[in-house]
Amino acid sequence: MSDKELNGVNVAKFGGTSVANFAAMSNCAKIIKNNPATRVVVVSASAGVTNLLVDIANTAMSKEQIKQKLAEIEAIQHSILTDLGSPADVSDKLYQLLSSLSDLALHEEIIHRADLKDALLSHGERMSSLLFSQVLKQIDVNAENFDVRNVLKTDSQFGKATPNLAAIKAAAANLMLPSLENTVFVTQGFIGSDEQGETTTLGRGGSDFTAALLAEALEAQTCEIWTDVIGVYTTDPRITAAARPLPELSFEEAAEMATFGAKVLHPATMEPALRQNIKVFVGSSREPEKGGTWIVKDCETQPAYRAITRRKEQVMVTVKTPKMMYAQGFLQRVFTIIAKHKLSVDLVTTSEISVAFTLDNPANSVTEQLNKATLDELSEFCDVKVEDNYDLVTVVGNNMHSEAGVSNRIFNAVAEHNLRMICYGANPHNLSLLVKDSASAEVVCALHKALFE
Ligand code: ADP
Ligand code: ASP
Ligand code: MG
């Protein structure tokens, strides 16, 4: 295919609710058929499946409990199979996948080995893509169920692998490009493979990232993220009914929103889009006629306030040492220890003798790690305080640091609330407030009212 022809390619990604059952898959199939530019389809696991797989991978369970979870997964997939016009075409492959899934789930080492966990998790996307390719074939789309692991090359960091962009580009050119004109590749989000060919995963919600990576590798013009909302909203519509969809967003705004908790996009999604200037669309597969949000390089507007996000499960660490008064190297010493323990710091504030920072703490994973090793080392030269049950509320916008009255408006709106930490000024696109998790929804609503209603 020539570069010119490739300019029209669209990569479409369908999230878990969009491929939850046969009816949802049929809506997606129509969307694909209506846009001949769609040559690559990336799917998530059917809604609920990855959560069940994560339970099996991370929780010590009896064989009976594991079998119960497997039965739930099988029921989800089986109901789609039985709704197919010609289930026989894929039933053997589906049962093979269910069987290898069951072997892994019942493996004695499953909760201890990250490589086995990723192999287990990959089954969700592998089953949904198999079934969805058949749904497309039934409406005469020339669909091929394609194993993304042959293209989506990563390092060996199981659970949160880093993609190898050059290898992805080369493999996509070899294996996908030659038949892109005549085939709709139906492939898996979220999973990849390392140099040894072992299955890896990109982290929860990673299918958006897969779609953007494939769009970049294939030099696609657009990447569509089809989900359960009609675009990116001013804030999570589950927090307030006053949230409204945004017609357009810039790459930077979308990246900020995703980083600071807007689950609608995986945080890394915008990186490939930015590098390759690929327009990203977000819309609802249930209501495609309602349109959605276009995420582009240059937006028509650059409002000071674009959206409010919330990132849950934050922990705040305060490190204090009176001994370091007027001394140099305190921050370096603290952050060397943090880096050594592979903890990723988000927000930081400092004073002469102390530094406070926040870390993501999903399912208390970080608090555990902090307690075990890092705290001991930090405690050798300073007092350490760890506080959890915080959420981070972020106002995302443009030129916030140079706009008069921004902080006034924001702080007036949340005057009743206790703000544990404030970060403002390092980046023109955001202002972040750390608040108790019990208050975060109220803080989001108050800010939304003051800034958007
Ligand atoms: P999918 O399974 O399709 O990937 P996700 O559940 O990952 O879907 O993302 C969609 C959800 O993201 C929405 O249902 C919504 O609750 C949540 N969300 C959070 N912030 C926003 C936002 N600013 N705009 C739209 N949706 C948001
Ligand atoms: N199925 C994976 C998850 O639930 C990836 C995704 O849906 O994006 O996290
Ligand atoms: Mg998602």
Side-chain angles (χ1 to χ4, degrees):
M1 242 185 172
S2 72
D3 279 356
K4 214 168 174 198
E5 284 166 296
L6 269 178
N7 276 341
V9 169
N10 175 46
V11 175
K13 177 256 169 177
F14 296 87
T17 46
S18 301
V19 293
N21 50 48
F22 181 77
M25 282 188 176
S26 300
N27 289 337
C28 303
K30 278 185 221 137
I31 293 172
I32 293 161
K33 199 162 183 182
N34 283 341
N35 184 359
T38 305
R39 313 311 303 165
V40 179
V41 172
V42 174
V43 296
S44 291
S46 300
V49 170
T50 307
N51 284 349
L52 287 161
L53 292 170
V54 168
D55 281 352
I56 295 173
N58 292 343
T59 329
M61 278 189 271
S62 68
K63 280 205 166 127
E64 276 323 302
Q65 286 168 316
I66 295 173
K67 284 183 183 160
Q68 175 56 39
K69 302 263 175 206
L70 288 171
E72 286 180 51
I73 294 170
E74 180 166 347
I76 294 171
Q77 309 295 207
H78 196 258
S79 87
I80 302 173
L81 184 75
T82 51
D83 282 342
L84 289 173
S86 43
D89 292 357
V90 286
S91 56
D92 281 357
K93 278 193 191 152
L94 182 68
Y95 285 112
Q96 276 165 22
L97 283 168
L98 284 166
S99 157
S100 63
L101 168 60
S102 163
D103 290 347
L104 281 162
L106 295 164
H107 193 293
E108 283 185 357
E109 293 282 288
I110 187 67
I111 64 166
H112 304 295
R113 277 182 44 192
D115 57 337
L116 294 180
K117 287 178 202 246
D118 275 4
L120 177 95
L121 290 178
S122 73
H123 282 73
E125 270 69 9
R126 286 158 68 196
M127 291 190 288
S128 62
S129 64
L130 173 70
L131 293 163
F132 189 49
S133 63
Q134 191 60 23
V135 174
L136 281 168
K137 281 181 194 161
Q138 282 180 197
I139 58 161
D140 299 324
V141 173
N142 188 23
E144 177 188 324
N145 186 209
F146 180 76
D147 191 335
V148 84
R149 291 172 296 177
N150 294 323
V151 167
L152 216 294
K153 294 290 162 191
T154 70
D155 66 5
S156 303
Q157 213 189 320
F158 297 105
K160 205 174 187 344
T162 302
N164 176 339
L165 303 182
I168 294 171
K169 176 120 191 151
N174 266 337
L175 302 174
M176 299 178 89
L177 222 45
S179 30
L180 212 53
E181 207 170 19
N182 307 314
T183 314
V184 173
F185 288 95
V186 181
T187 198
Q188 308 81 30
F190 177 56
I191 70 173
S193 73
D194 69 5
E195 273 181 31
Q196 285 70 44
E198 297 294 332
T199 300
T200 56
T201 62
L202 301 175
R204 292 303 306 266
S207 298
D208 305 327
F209 190 25
T210 306
L213 286 166
L214 293 179
E216 178 183 33
L218 295 166
E219 295 178 21
Q221 197 173 31
T222 50
C223 177
E224 296 172 345
I225 306 288
W226 294 98
T227 178
D228 60 356
V229 279
I230 56 169
V232 180
Y233 282 59
T234 45
T235 194
D236 187 343
R238 287 185 208 184
I239 301 179
T240 166
R244 53 184 161 78
L246 295 159
E248 66 164 9
L249 273 179
S250 69
F251 288 147
E252 285 83 10
E253 290 168 331
E256 287 295 311
M257 287 184 72
T259 305
F260 285 102
K263 192 187 164 220
V264 64
L265 289 171
H266 180 275
T269 316
M270 299 320 297
E271 290 168 15
L274 245 164
R275 284 192 295 262
Q276 192 75 34
N277 194 11
I278 300 161
K279 290 183 188 151
V280 177
F281 172 85
V282 179
S284 162
S285 64
R286 233 179 302 151
E287 303 173 294
E289 70 288 351
K290 294 212 167 145
T293 304
W294 277 103
I295 306 171
V296 294
K297 188 159 164 258
D298 299 308
C299 271
E300 282 190 6
T301 56
Q302 285 200 322
Y305 316 105
R306 182 71 91 181
I308 301 160
T309 59
R310 173 174 71 171
R311 200 161 76 189
K312 297 182 74 66
E313 300 184 293
Q314 303 296 296
V315 59
M316 176 176 177
V317 183
T318 314
V319 181
K320 188 173 169 190
T321 171
K323 278 179 264 168
M324 291 303 287
M325 192 87 170
Y326 307 120
Q328 286 165 347
F330 170 50
L331 289 181
Q332 190 197 6
R333 214 166 147 191
V334 170
F335 287 116
T336 304
I337 293 170
I338 296 296
K340 195 173 99 188
H341 293 284
K342 294 201 161 53
L343 294 168
S344 158
V345 167
D346 290 313
L347 301 188
V348 185
T349 58
T350 63
S351 77
E352 181 67 28
I353 56 158
S354 61
V355 52
F357 53 86
T358 66
L359 304 159
D360 251 346
N361 187 29
N364 283 325
S365 52
V366 168
T367 349
E368 242 172 54
Q369 205 179 334
L370 267 173
N371 289 341
K372 266 193 237 124
T374 326
L375 290 187
D376 286 351
E377 263 183 76
L378 288 171
S379 305
E380 278 173 24
F381 67 102
C382 43
D383 303 329
V384 188
K385 193 167 144 203
V386 179
E387 300 164 69
D388 54 13
N389 299 326
Y390 283 106
D391 288 352
L392 194 65
V393 175
T394 301
V395 180
V396 175
N398 297 280
N399 300 319
M400 293 174 75
H401 56 345
S402 51
E403 190 106 351
V406 165
S407 46
N408 211 6
R409 210 157 151 199
I410 290 173
F411 293 131
N412 276 342
V414 296
E416 281 173 26
H417 295 278
N418 182 17
L419 309 178
R420 185 66 186 83
M421 187 164 162
I422 299 162
C423 270
Y424 177 44
N427 179 328
H429 290 292
N430 68 51
L431 184 154
S432 292
L433 309 170
L434 192 72
V435 298
K436 269 285 162 201
D437 52 7
S438 52
S440 67
E442 271 179 43
V443 169
V444 170
C445 291
L447 284 169
H448 197 271
K449 197 159 190 213
L451 305 180
F452 299 111
E453 292 168 36

